[in-house]
Amino acid sequence: MPEVIMPKMGDAMEEGTLVKWLKSEGDEVSEGDPIAEIETDKVTLELEAENAGTLAQLIASEGQDIPVGDAIAFIAGEGEEVPERNGGSEAQAGGEAEEGGDDEDGGGAQAQTATEEREAAGAPSGNGAAGGNFRASPIVRRLARENNLDLSRIDGSGPAGRIVERDVRAAMERGDAQADGQADGQAAPAEAPAEAQPEQQAAQAGLQAPTLPEPTDAPGTQLVEPTRMQRVIAERMTEAKQHVPHFYATVEVKMDAAMALRKQLNEQLEPEGLKLSVNDFVMKAVAVALRNYPNLNALYTSRGVELHEKVDMAMAVALDAGLITPVIRDIGSKGLATISRESKDLAARARDGKLKPEEYQGGTITVSNMGMFGVESFTAIINPPQAAIVAVSSIAKRPDFDESGEVAPASFMKLTLSADHRIANGRDGALYMSEVKRVLENPVMLMV
Amino acid sequence: MPAESEEHVGDGGVETQEQRDASSVATDGDHLVELYKKMVLIRAFEEACQRSFRQGKIGGYLHVYIGQEAVATGFLDAFKEGDRAITAYRDHPHVLLLGSDPKNVMAELYGRGDGIVKGKGGSMHLFDVERGFMGGYGIVGGHIPLGVGFAYAMRYQGTDHVTQLYLGDGSISNGAFHEAVNLAGLWGKDGMCPCLFIIENNQYGMGTSVERTTAMTDLARKFDAYGVENEKVDGMDLEAVLEVAHRAAERVRETGKPYAVEALTYRTVGHGAGDFFEKYRTKDEIKKWRERDPIGQLEHKLIERDLLDEDAIEEISNETKETIGEVTKFADESAEPPIEELYTDVYAGEDEYMGEK
Amino acid sequence: MATMTYREALKAAMSEEMERDESVVLMGEDIGVYGGTHLITDGLIDRFGAKRVMDTPIAEGGFTGAAIGMAMMGMKPVVEMMTWNFSFLASDQIIQNAAKLRYFSGGQVNVPLVVRGPNGGGVQLSAQHTHSLENMYGHFPGLKVVSPVTPADVKGMMLTAIRDPNPVIFLEAGALYGTKGEVPDGDEGVEFGKARIAREGTDVTLISYGRQVNLCLRVADRLEEEDGVSAEVIDVRSIRPLDEETFVESVKKTHRAVAVQEQWRLFGVASEVASIIQEKAFDYLDAPVIRVSGAEVPAPYARNLEIAAFPSEQQVANAARRTLYIEEK
């Protein structure tokens, strides 16, 4: 047995390092003589010769890592042959020199026998918590699937607006929650029935599905799948643009009086921790002006224009994943402070994905404010079936003329109305916007 | 077979040289040669295990018996059919001496399907129940109460069988030892505990010497506390061990009372195959005990008595080498256990396994 | 049929089986001459003698290990833990030997051992004498673990346990020793691996073991009376093997589940039940499965503190109400 192998010197050891040869090739060694220093991950120690003879061949070099069981040297006994130096070990007659040992852990067994873990679905998939995903218990989702229900039409009575079994049972009894294949309902993206595809929905609505080009897959491009929310927004906005005959009217509002009033009110409200925003003023003004132009506070339904007495103001809130419009109910009867509080709360919760369905469904008119983004003017897309949407742009300081004809700086803000021409005509739209302008430029009107 | 049995109760005395000579002359010469061959085989087997371990073919823990051969060989010579033996994890020689095929034992160490426990136990859990070997166990001291239970069952079931219960010096400090020996002494009062305790005192519990684990280092006398009679023997001298073993086993068989023998021995290798450093003892000490090697001593005696000569010794050595070569080859070529074996024997009865696969 | 107490049912099972099978012996502290601390083995030493009704010294590890050895030799020892709280001392023998011997001996031996004794709290024995060990022993493959509630189950499951060739951990509900029930005559055992539906219902499933089962039954009555809710109560009774099908099917019917355990919240039997339900009946759930557990404290002594440390009727009822989305009381 002339071969000297790297020994296994610890239960988990798989390889060792030959640190140093203590004898040289050709040296005579006796049993028990130390011939090399071996290092494992725990210790360094001396390797002793197991039998006597001539240290005929040093296979491993100093500093080399050698797997357990591999040959590192040959000790030739009397008359024994030393094999050719070939870098590997060769089986000797009756010898026990082997290649490096197998891994005895049996790790393979684990892969084959690990218990299959079924996934506990838990959180809703897709967009994560961003507003628009319903909370619904598992049985509710199953019932919805099985009975083709549109969960966006069912209010949840469970915690955090979770739709629970009794809600579904009640809705099924009433028969008002059937999914009809159209992306209907209000601003929030609906929990669409599993089978409906965007093209299918579009086809059912009497539109032609757009023929979209294949991606180029060229270098420097990246393909991004739209989230569910983005897809629903895309559908609805497309539908709005195709179905609703939009017309537009812009006014430029001199905001100095409103800003002064705002400042005055904020000073008074500061101890309560309240701060009114420009948008609060705009929303209130839009609501006040609607009193004289009620046909712009309406919904275009299958059986005609539904006029609403109360103004339910939908507020557009931008999200990373898309857009949502929480609703301030009956805003006309609320004071600025209340409006401010509600709008802040709704906006915050909208961004955290914590709105209840009843908070973003409904709405009779929408205000979309991009003033904080430095936009001089823009036109918004109507949220069907609403009659109108008002786009609010940035306030810019410009030179103006005062009563005496002198040049004086003034703050101006553009408001653009988009209105459904099936409900209102151009004259109604223009007159309405003048009214909004009047209210904002004479902000005491907000008290009426 | 010793002509007369001398009691050495509780005084820890060792036989005088004359006594020993008297009994050794009476021992059958051929039988001694047989025992010599067995010890040589055990030694070769254990050395082969160590090599295989270092080659990475044996995983986990490996505890070999090198230097202690006379103890198991001597005591198991007094084992009769129906008896049972149990020990801790240094268990290869016991199962081999009781007749298990070394091929299956090596296959077990290699983790193969032909292993003596189907590859599911490894070195520390060798069993051959048909031949009376009730296992190797991994928890120090944990097996001792089991052996006492065997003994009770033997008398409860109306047999005259004996349990040979092997334990190491390291287990003497363990609660399980004391509780079990106490029960043995208690049940022994009614003759319901034919248990022969064999303390394989190799003087070290892994790296801790006996002196460093207990203030009262006379291990045999520990049994006095529980009413179990005891004596000591030189564990390196096979003939001395044989004498005590036969005498003690018969006594236990007759009376149903437990008895303890402390065999002073030494392992000239580390505690386990991974115990490379051995900082706890000196090379000189090991060298001294090597000079008292049980196989060497016996060889010497057999030559003196003309029962063996150099040629015979060489022949035995070569035969052993060949046998061991076949043994390791068998183990090497054996297949691993089939994966289905993972799920068997968890329970006895129809439902061997209760769980997902 | 006969009416008897839990205690009497135990004694009947053991003594009847000892008559039939000579290899059955009893071991434990003060079970013989003293008659047993709970008088379960009272009189048995006179009937069967000291070799079969063995008084042991206070050495749980030692005598449990000896019993394992006897079992390996073909005897059928029934070892008493005076209370399961003392079993920690024997747990090395139970877990390292009894549970695993069949496996690491490659099937060469088996261990037909029963370890029995009172388990669970509720009798002011304070921290060291109050544990409920279903989850601890239930964890280990190789053991069978049962926790009977009714006298009929106690007798039937003890017969099965003694006859089983595997080690059985027999957790008796110590607080229920005095309760009475109908016990069938004869020697038929109650099989392991089958839960018991203690009460049928339609709106919510209450799942438990041991004395909590009786608590759940009282809660079910309350829910019926106060809220018009129909609760189904399931007595797990066999911890390992665990009958998953019964409670899963129940939840598929009721859509709601509350699992009650005396143990602490994390890693207990109720946790396991809840996990299995959400795995196998997910689409049937109307609410998350709620666990009601003991307070995260060692068991206190004072009566009022001890009551507060374990699940109460109100807690369980409110948990049920939570799953029904109705107002808690």
Side-chain angles (χ1 to χ4, degrees):
Chain A
M1 192 210 13
E3 216 173 61
V4 181
I5 58 162
M6 172 63 72
K8 183 165 167 184
M9 296 182 292
D11 305 317
M13 179 179 163
E14 284 179 26
E15 65 172 31
T17 312
L18 178 71
V19 176
K20 196 162 97 173
W21 284 111
L22 301 172
K23 299 270 181 184
S24 318
E25 225 173 85
D27 282 354
E28 288 292 319
V29 297
S30 321
E31 189 183 318
D33 280 355
I35 53 175
E37 253 178 42
I38 311 270
E39 189 183 87
T40 71
D41 59 353
K42 285 190 201 166
V43 293
T44 307
L45 27 65
E46 289 178 351
L47 179 67
E48 295 175 357
E50 283 199 353
N51 41 346
T54 318
L55 191 58
Q57 211 180 82
L58 303 182
I59 300 174
S61 29
E62 290 187 354
Q64 191 182 350
D65 287 337
I66 298 122
V68 161
D70 276 10
I72 56 173
F74 279 105
I75 295 179
E78 252 187 66
E80 272 178 329
E81 297 259 320
V82 171
E84 292 282 312
R85 180 186 287 267
N86 59 5
S89 63
E90 283 182 330
Q92 299 294 306
E96 292 136 81
E98 301 281 342
E99 288 296 332
D102 305 326
D103 184 71
E104 297 288 331
D105 283 359
Q110 282 178 344
Q112 284 169 274
T113 60
T115 311
E116 189 185 32
E117 285 173 20
R118 274 160 246 142
E119 302 213 344
S125 57
N127 323 327
N133 258 311
F134 295 106
R135 288 202 159 91
S137 75
I139 194 172
V140 162
R141 290 180 197 272
R142 188 165 66 84
L143 289 171
R145 271 199 316 272
E146 290 172 355
N147 296 286
N148 196 25
L149 303 174
D150 180 354
L151 287 177
S152 71
R153 294 175 154 176
I154 304 177
D155 284 337
S157 65
R162 185 188 298 160
I163 304 172
V164 297
E165 190 180 354
R166 62 182 173 213
D167 305 323
V168 171
R169 299 271 177 219
M172 280 166 71
E173 255 173 58
R174 291 193 310 266
D176 59 4
Q178 285 304 120
D180 55 8
Q182 288 204 5
D184 214 335
Q186 296 302 307
E191 170 89 14
E195 306 76 35
Q197 298 297 316
E199 289 103 353
Q200 235 181 304
Q201 283 186 308
Q204 284 171 350
L207 300 162
Q208 275 200 334
T211 42
L212 299 169
E214 282 296 300
T216 58
D217 287 330
T221 65
Q222 188 195 6
L223 204 55
V224 178
E225 276 250 10
T227 65
R228 192 196 298 163
M229 185 193 244
Q230 287 171 329
R231 263 189 274 127
V232 176
I233 293 174
E235 285 159 37
R236 302 194 68 252
M237 295 292 107
T238 307
E239 191 219 319
K241 272 282 164 173
Q242 289 185 305
H243 271 282
V244 179
H246 282 61
F247 74 92
Y248 311 97
T250 305
V251 292
E252 196 172 40
V253 180
K254 185 167 169 180
M255 286 298 286
D256 298 84
M259 308 262 278
L261 177 60
R262 174 175 165 247
K263 186 162 169 219
Q264 196 184 0
L265 287 171
N266 278 342
E267 273 166 27
Q268 294 299 317
L269 293 169
E270 204 200 310
E272 290 172 57
L274 271 178
K275 195 165 176 217
L276 307 174
S277 70
V278 171
N279 200 43
D280 297 329
F281 279 76
V282 173
M283 288 196 292
K284 178 78 182 184
V286 165
V288 167
L290 279 172
R291 289 185 202 142
N292 294 334
Y293 297 90
N295 63 335
L296 286 163
N297 189 43
L299 306 177
Y300 197 78
T301 73
S302 56
R303 285 190 279 125
V305 176
E306 187 180 88
L307 301 168
H308 281 242
E309 275 173 27
K310 299 203 179 118
V311 180
D312 291 335
M313 173 71 61
M315 230 178 61
V317 176
L319 305 169
D320 285 336
L323 169 73
I324 196 166
T325 50
V327 177
I328 302 175
R329 306 266 169 209
D330 194 13
I331 194 175
S333 69
K334 290 176 176 163
L336 282 165
T338 309
I339 293 170
S340 181
R341 247 184 260 120
E342 269 190 49
S343 68
K344 284 202 178 56
D345 169 56
L346 286 168
R349 283 195 292 119
R351 287 186 205 107
D352 288 341
K354 291 198 168 110
L355 290 177
K356 302 185 186 155
E358 61 264 26
E359 288 172 325
Y360 54 78
Q361 290 169 20
T364 53
I365 188 168
T366 307
V367 164
S368 176
N369 191 331
M370 298 239 273
M372 67 289 273
F373 302 122
V375 168
E376 184 204 278
S377 83
F378 74 104
T379 55
I381 304 177
I382 291 171
N383 276 319
Q386 291 172 16
I389 181 168
V390 176
V392 184
S393 311
S394 326
I395 301 176
K397 243 198 173 100
R398 281 209 330 270
D400 191 35
F401 299 100
D402 64 14
E403 291 99 26
S404 55
E406 295 295 316
V407 174
S411 297
F412 289 93
M413 181 179 78
K414 286 199 177 130
L415 298 176
T416 304
L417 172 76
S418 310
D420 186 338
H421 210 294
R422 300 170 296 180
I423 301 174
N425 58 29
R427 191 187 68 127
D428 294 332
L431 286 172
Y432 169 70
M433 287 309 280
S434 300
E435 181 67 8
V436 173
K437 174 179 157 108
R438 186 175 78 91
V439 168
L440 275 171
E441 289 178 346
N442 299 284
V444 289
M445 293 300 293
L446 294 170
M447 285 169 57
V448 172
Chain B
M1 270 60 53
E4 35 175 31
S5 66
E6 303 239 347
E7 303 279 343
H8 297 276
V9 179
D11 63 2
V14 181
E15 291 175 274
T16 64
Q17 185 59 39
E18 289 135 314
Q19 287 169 327
R20 209 187 296 162
D21 284 2
S23 57
S24 67
V25 166
T27 311
D28 186 329
D30 285 339
H31 188 56
L32 273 181
V33 171
E34 284 313 304
L35 294 180
Y36 167 79
K37 286 185 189 165
K38 286 190 181 177
M39 299 213 297
V40 168
L41 182 71
I42 291 171
R43 173 73 56 95
F45 185 93
E46 298 291 66
E47 284 174 341
C49 288
Q50 285 205 299
R51 275 195 298 275
S52 295
F53 182 89
R54 292 201 176 118
Q55 287 165 0
K57 293 179 180 183
I58 296 179
Y61 291 136
L62 181 77
H63 308 91
V64 296
Y65 209 71
I66 295 174
Q68 302 181 207
E69 293 85 353
V71 180
T73 308
F75 276 96
L76 286 172
D77 193 60
F79 185 99
K80 292 208 167 104
E81 190 169 331
D83 287 355
R84 306 291 171 134
I86 183 173
T87 185
Y89 42 78
R90 205 175 295 277
D91 58 353
H92 307 169
H94 307 78
V95 80
L96 290 172
L97 287 163
L98 284 172
S100 304
D101 191 335
K103 291 199 177 100
N104 298 113
V105 179
M106 189 63 84
E108 182 62 35
L109 305 187
Y110 276 45
R112 305 296 159 105
D114 284 321
I116 202 168
V117 289
K118 305 196 264 189
K120 289 158 87 162
S123 168
M124 296 190 286
H125 301 298
L126 304 177
F127 279 73
D128 196 340
V129 170
E130 257 179 53
R131 295 191 167 90
F133 190 61
M134 304 296 280
Y137 295 80
I139 306 298
V140 172
H143 70 288
I144 302 175
L146 267 56
V148 170
F150 298 159
Y152 188 90
M154 285 165 166
R155 286 298 142 121
Y156 185 87
Q157 289 163 343
T159 70
D160 67 345
H161 301 146
V162 165
T163 296
Q164 289 195 12
L165 202 168
Y166 294 80
L167 54 141
D169 49 282
S171 67
I172 303 275
S173 308
N174 189 276
F177 166 83
H178 295 276
E179 292 187 19
V181 177
N182 182 54
L183 285 172
L186 183 68
W187 292 338
K189 277 167 59 179
D190 297 325
M192 291 292 287
C193 195
C195 185
L196 177 59
F197 292 93
I198 298 143
I199 300 96
E200 293 166 328
N201 181 5
N202 63 17
Q203 302 171 62
Y204 288 89
M206 196 160 84
T208 310
S209 64
V210 171
E211 291 77 42
R212 293 205 299 128
T213 61
T214 179
M216 210 288 278
T217 57
D218 186 335
L219 302 186
R221 272 185 53 209
K222 303 251 184 201
F223 286 79
D224 288 345
Y226 306 108
V228 175
E229 292 177 0
N230 52 81
E231 69 180 89
K232 291 173 164 28
V233 72
D234 175 2
M236 306 308 257
D237 179 346
L238 179 68
E239 293 188 283
V241 174
L242 283 168
E243 192 279 321
V244 175
H246 283 273
R247 176 167 43 80
E250 279 324 294
R251 179 201 167 106
V252 168
R253 203 179 300 280
E254 247 179 66
T255 62
K257 283 173 149 54
Y259 194 81
V261 181
E262 179 193 338
L264 195 69
T265 180
Y266 200 84
R267 52 168 169 81
T268 48
V269 292
H271 162 78
D275 179 18
F276 219 68
F277 253 146
E278 299 196 66
K279 298 198 275 202
Y280 49 89
R281 55 185 183 176
T282 63
K283 291 215 156 115
D284 271 347
E285 182 186 291
I286 302 174
K287 192 152 166 268
K288 265 203 203 96
W289 280 90
R290 273 219 182 101
E291 286 160 14
R292 301 201 55 219
D293 185 73
I295 298 179
Q297 275 193 57
L298 183 63
E299 216 175 77
H300 196 69
K301 278 193 207 168
L302 293 173
I303 292 174
E304 266 183 5
R305 294 179 212 166
D306 285 329
L307 291 163
L308 275 185
D309 59 17
E310 292 293 338
D311 286 334
I313 290 172
E314 193 171 325
E315 203 191 311
I316 292 170
S317 170
N318 289 335
E319 269 172 27
T320 307
K321 255 199 200 117
E322 214 185 292
T323 307
I324 295 297
E326 283 164 25
V327 164
T328 43
K329 183 162 180 282
F330 175 85
D332 243 337
E333 292 172 356
S334 288
E336 282 183 324
I339 287 296
E340 294 70 49
E341 205 58 66
L342 179 65
Y343 303 108
T344 61
D345 305 320
V346 182
Y347 293 94
E350 298 164 357
D351 233 341
E352 284 192 298
Y353 175 72
M354 295 190 281
E356 289 170 18
K357 292 196 185 178
Chain C
M1 275 289 191
T3 306
M4 59 176 84
T5 61
Y6 194 108
R7 179 183 284 125
E8 286 165 343
L10 259 178
K11 186 171 174 182
M14 290 191 287
S15 56
E16 285 171 24
E17 202 63 10
M18 283 175 82
E19 295 272 15
R20 280 191 281 270
D21 184 348
E22 264 205 15
S23 64
V24 181
V25 300
L26 307 182
M27 284 170 77
E29 295 159 7
D30 278 328
I31 60 165
V33 170
Y34 191 90
T37 45
H38 298 279
L39 292 175
I40 288 165
T41 50
D42 195 23
L44 295 182
I45 194 171
D46 298 323
R47 265 168 82 179
F48 299 104
K51 289 214 168 80
R52 294 186 73 190
V53 180
M54 301 163 68
D55 278 325
T56 62
I58 304 176
E60 278 77 6
F63 66 73
T64 305
I68 294 171
M70 292 180 207
M72 286 164 75
M73 295 286 281
M75 287 171 66
K76 297 207 178 103
V78 178
V79 175
E80 178 180 289
M81 289 288 116
M82 189 181 272
T83 125
W84 272 97
N85 304 290
F86 300 159
S87 75
F88 300 113
L89 295 159
S91 55
D92 179 69
Q93 291 295 334
I94 293 172
I95 293 168
Q96 295 278 39
N97 285 334
K100 301 179 185 179
L101 262 162
R102 182 155 183 87
Y103 197 77
F104 67 65
S105 72
Q108 288 186 42
V109 298
N110 63 301
V111 183
L113 171 76
V114 177
V115 186
R116 55 155 288 268
N119 179 52
V123 284
Q124 283 191 273
L125 293 176
S126 62
Q128 291 187 327
H129 284 70
T130 305
H131 291 92
S132 192
L133 299 176
E134 283 77 5
N135 64 326
M136 179 173 133
Y137 289 111
H139 194 53
F140 297 97
L143 295 177
K144 293 194 180 176
V145 181
V146 297
S147 190
V149 174
T150 64
D153 280 351
V154 152
K155 181 166 182 216
M157 291 181 118
M158 177 54 82
L159 291 173
T160 304
I162 295 175
R163 296 168 188 166
D164 198 312
N166 296 291
V168 179
I169 304 298
F170 198 90
L171 301 168
E172 297 152 15
L176 301 181
Y177 275 163
T179 59
K180 289 202 169 116
E182 291 283 299
V183 176
D185 302 321
D187 65 351
E188 203 177 306
V190 169
E191 64 170 310
F192 294 167
K194 207 89 199 61
R196 174 178 74 102
I197 299 179
R199 181 193 205 269
E200 284 190 13
T202 54
D203 299 331
V204 59
T205 305
L206 307 178
I207 302 155
S208 192
Y209 60 86
R211 67 187 175 111
Q212 323 321 308
V213 172
N214 292 344
L215 182 141
C216 287
L217 287 169
R218 293 194 295 273
V219 167
D221 287 337
R222 237 196 198 186
L223 289 170
E224 178 103 70
E225 212 180 281
E226 294 174 14
D227 303 279
V229 166
S230 157
E232 183 148 291
V233 177
I234 296 191
D235 170 9
V236 172
R237 77 178 169 177
S238 179
I239 305 287
R240 180 183 273 271
L242 183 66
D243 174 7
E244 302 181 14
E245 200 183 319
T246 300
F247 60 78
V248 167
E249 287 307 303
S250 172
V251 174
K252 285 185 177 174
K253 179 176 69 164
T254 63
H255 306 161
R256 291 157 204 92
V258 175
V260 184
Q261 61 192 1
E262 182 173 311
Q263 301 134 2
W264 299 292
R265 184 172 68 97
L266 297 173
F267 320 119
V269 173
S271 315
E272 191 56 46
V273 166
S275 175
I276 291 170
I277 290 173
Q278 65 86 25
E279 231 180 273
K280 299 194 171 173
F282 182 71
D283 286 317
Y284 295 84
L285 283 173
D286 194 34
V289 179
I290 300 185
R291 291 169 297 174
V292 180
S293 317
E296 296 284 304
V297 300
Y301 164 70
R303 184 108 187 95
N304 67 322
L305 293 182
E306 188 183 43
I307 291 174
F310 293 122
S312 67
E313 279 178 40
Q314 190 186 27
Q315 284 175 331
V316 178
N318 278 337
R321 291 178 183 123
R322 232 176 294 145
T323 65
L324 289 154
Y325 304 108
I326 61 184
E327 208 180 302
E328 299 180 30
K329 294 190 168 78

